[in-house]
Amino acid sequence: MLWTAQLPAVQLSDDQRFNTYTIWREVKKAYPERTSALAMAMIANAWDESRIENVCSTTEDSCGLFQLYAGGNEVAKRLAAESPDGRLNPAKNTRGIIELLEQSGQQVFAALDRNATVAEIAGIFRRDVERPFNPEAAGVATEQTARSIWPVYGNTRADDLPDLRWVWVPLSPGQLALAAAVAAGGLYYMKVKR
């Protein structure tokens, strides 16, 4: 059984869907009481940064869902130094941006506390946590992105959003193959070690 949550109203590949659920899962672990609004805002940011794809920029040393820049902060430098590059692991990239949120996201938390909309939270997140070249303009653009990819929820206040729920979620063929391989490896390990 897996939990599910709202997906953005854009066409997503299996990998993008997996990455979206990874963001939801990591936000739920870090902020269970604020998951929906924060995750939706972060997903809007990931859409603007990488189209929720696990890629590296062709113009600078930025990688992953949130395009963490290796020359920027200590979190990105630490992840970039891993082999393979930790920024390309969707869960690590999301945990890295959550670390940055904890360092510089005071206005994001203030927006959550004052029951701002998902779009407002997304714009503040982009401006204060992602810190792009032109933060004000990028924040406004991400507010528009949030309204676009979350047409039902973009203008919804944080406290009015639905919570995550546990349900059965159909897996893609690739995800089923991975689960089967992991299970087979575990069974083999248990049989050999006993």
Side-chain angles (χ1 to χ4, degrees):
M1 189 173 335
L2 300 171
W3 57 267
T4 189
Q6 182 72 25
L7 287 171
V10 290
Q11 187 69 27
L12 298 175
S13 68
D14 286 346
D15 286 344
Q16 288 170 308
R17 252 191 315 280
F18 173 81
N19 293 337
T20 300
Y21 282 126
T22 299
I23 294 168
W24 276 103
R25 185 186 67 237
E26 295 302 324
V27 173
K28 185 170 179 61
K29 280 192 235 175
Y31 301 103
E33 72 287 353
R34 297 177 166 187
T35 299
S36 293
L38 188 53
M40 286 180 174
M42 289 175 63
I43 290 165
N45 274 273
W47 180 260
D48 278 352
E49 289 288 330
S50 69
R51 292 297 186 251
I52 317 175
E53 293 181 11
N54 205 22
V55 296
C56 288
S57 169
T58 57
T59 58
E60 60 183 22
D61 192 8
S62 297
C63 290
L65 304 179
F66 294 96
Q67 291 295 292
L68 298 177
Y69 174 56
N73 55 66
E74 293 306 312
V75 172
K77 288 177 185 175
R78 183 183 72 240
L79 288 172
E82 293 181 6
S83 181
D85 191 328
R87 295 173 301 163
L88 289 172
N89 176 311
K92 286 183 179 182
N93 192 278
T94 303
R95 286 192 296 266
I97 202 73
I98 288 171
E99 240 182 282
L100 294 175
L101 170 66
E102 291 167 358
Q103 294 171 12
S104 61
Q106 296 81 4
Q107 293 303 314
V108 173
F109 293 116
L112 286 162
D113 290 342
R114 70 173 159 63
N115 198 24
T117 66
V118 169
E120 289 174 273
I121 297 164
I124 295 167
F125 186 98
R126 182 78 184 275
R127 182 192 72 205
D128 294 357
V129 179
E130 290 278 2
R131 293 190 249 174
F133 175 70
N134 185 344
E136 293 300 326
V140 169
T142 298
E143 282 188 39
Q144 292 302 318
T145 296
R147 289 185 185 97
S148 166
I149 70 170
W150 301 113
V152 173
Y153 299 117
N155 288 320
T156 303
R157 298 211 169 269
D159 293 345
D160 298 333
L161 292 168
D163 289 329
L164 300 176
R165 60 196 182 283
W166 288 93
V167 297
W168 285 103
V169 174
L171 299 177
S172 72
Q175 291 166 326
L176 287 172
L178 177 63
V182 169
L187 290 174
Y188 174 78
Y189 177 80
M190 288 173 44
K191 186 175 182 179
V192 169
K193 291 294 181 181
R194 290 188 178 219

